[in-house]
Structures are given as C-alpha cells and as structure tokens.
C-alpha cells in the first residue's frame, strides 16, 4: 500500500496510523523506521568513503554553499512530502533522518577537509570521526572544548554552523511539526 494512497474513513482522511489495525500499524512503523535508519546509515557510509581530500580550500566554500542550497531545496521538498503523505508523522521522521544527517555531514566534511588542507585550523588535525564528533557536539550545543577552531575564518564558519543549528532546532522543527499537523488535517 502506497503511503499516499487515499483512504476514506471519514474523520481523519486516512491520515492517522491509529485508525489502522495493530498489525498493519506495526508493519508501517517498522518499515518507516528501517527506511529512516537506512537513509542515515547510507549518508554516514558515504561520508567515510567519499574522497574528501580532493577539494582545495577555495572550492570547499563553493561546495559548502551548494550543499546548503541543496539542503534548502531538500527541506522544501520534504515539507511538501510530509503534507501530502498519508501518514505525515512517519514521513516527518523519515525526512528528519535525511535532513539532519545531511546537514551534520556537510559540516563534518568541511571541517575534515579544512583540517586536512590547513592542519593549524583546529587544535588538532581532524580525522573524519573527529570532524563528525566536533560537528555533533557543536550541533548539540555541548561543546566539550577538546577540539577548538584556531583561526578566525574557521571560527566564523563554526559560528555560522551554530546559527544554522539554532535555526534548524527552532524554526526547522516547528515547520516540520506544522507540516505534520497540516498533513493530518488533510491540507494539501
């Protein structure tokens, strides 16, 4: 059954998992969570295997800008997909499992490449795992201080990530929840 397939049940417009039989609901939830996990795992695997050492520092700025533009376009597409989905809550989980890792891995890739090209940009040369750890601790607003940006341009870049983190955590989550509500009410 396609998640966009219309169902006529009067009250919810077929947009409520609770209206489904328990077995069907469990199956859809399991498949949705597996898809979300698989998407995140694929993005992380790509991060570890892509040849990130081929970028120069100037081209890295272009790649980051294109990546952020792609993230914006993906976000727009995902919000539309949530609103149109038969099960918007599940679709929102899948969207977040794509958008958040993409965002984090985009910055981790940037930090890894910067550290590889200019080892003095951080307090230590970053491995891919170090760059991902730094990005995630910054995103989570923990900032342990074990890895720090050393140069002004990189500090500005990290500051930009922090601002975007706040936008994602505040406005982004609100937009996704609004799309889920709109989808559940049948608004296309």
């Amino acid at each position: 059954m396609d998640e966009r397939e219309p169902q006529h049940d009067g009250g919810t417009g077929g947009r409520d998992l609770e209206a489904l039989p328990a077995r069907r609901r469990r199956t859809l939830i399991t498949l949705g969570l597996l898809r979300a996990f698989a998407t995140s795992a694929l993005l992380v695997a790509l991060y570890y295997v892509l040849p990130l050492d081929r970028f120069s520092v100037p081209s890295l700025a272009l790649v980051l800008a294109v990546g952020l533009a792609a993230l914006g376009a993906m976000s727009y597409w995902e919000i539309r997909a949530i609103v149109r989905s038969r099960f918007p809550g599940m679709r929102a989980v899948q969207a977040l499992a794509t958008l958040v890792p993409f965002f984090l891995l985009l910055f981790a890739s940037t930090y890894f490449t910067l550290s590889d090209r200019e080892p003095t940009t951080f307090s230590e040369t970053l491995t891919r795992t170090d760059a991902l750890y730094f990005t995630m601790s910054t995103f989570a607003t923990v900032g342990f201080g074990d890895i720090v940006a050393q140069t002004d341009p990189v500090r500005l870049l990290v500051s930009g990530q922090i601002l975007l983190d706040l936008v994602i955590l505040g406005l982004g989550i609100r937009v996704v929840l609004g799309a889920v509500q709109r989808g559940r009410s049948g608004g296309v």
Side-chain angles (χ1 to χ4, degrees):
M1 181 188 306
D2 183 9
E3 73 174 22
R4 288 170 280 168
E5 180 181 308
Q7 181 173 332
H8 305 287
D9 66 350
T12 63
R15 294 174 180 268
D16 188 3
L17 279 172
E18 297 300 318
L20 296 174
R23 182 175 179 181
R24 180 69 177 144
R25 185 175 54 243
R26 280 192 303 272
T27 300
L28 285 174
I29 290 171
T30 301
L31 290 174
L33 291 175
L34 283 172
R35 179 178 171 199
F37 175 77
T39 301
S40 295
L42 176 66
L43 288 170
V44 171
L46 285 172
Y47 167 72
Y48 277 99
V49 300
L50 287 175
L52 300 174
D53 57 351
R54 295 186 182 165
F55 293 106
S56 65
V57 174
S59 69
L60 188 58
L62 177 63
V63 170
L64 180 60
V66 169
L68 290 172
L71 180 68
M74 287 171 41
S75 299
Y76 175 77
W77 182 83
E78 291 286 0
I79 295 302
R80 287 178 48 114
I82 291 167
V83 171
R84 294 178 175 178
S85 174
R86 180 168 172 212
F87 304 112
M90 183 58 60
R91 188 67 183 99
V93 169
Q94 294 168 352
L96 290 173
T98 301
L99 297 172
V100 173
F102 183 85
F103 173 79
L104 293 173
L105 294 169
L106 181 62
F107 275 95
S109 299
T110 303
Y111 298 146
F112 169 75
T113 304
L114 283 172
S115 177
D116 184 58
R117 292 286 174 240
E118 301 287 334
T120 60
T121 55
F122 290 94
S123 54
E124 60 187 73
T125 302
L126 304 181
T127 64
R128 288 177 194 245
T129 302
D130 292 335
L132 184 57
Y133 162 79
F134 175 75
T135 304
M136 290 179 68
S137 64
T138 302
F139 181 77
T141 68
V142 182
F144 295 116
D146 51 345
I147 301 172
V148 294
Q150 299 276 74
T151 64
D152 287 343
V154 176
R155 287 182 178 149
L156 288 172
L157 179 61
V158 173
S159 297
Q161 182 205 336
I162 292 168
L163 288 173
L164 289 173
D165 294 346
L166 295 173
V167 168
I168 287 173
L169 292 173
L171 180 62
I173 299 295
R174 184 177 173 102
V175 168
V176 168
L177 290 175
V180 169
Q181 289 174 336
R182 187 170 171 204
R184 284 187 175 153
S185 69
V188 176

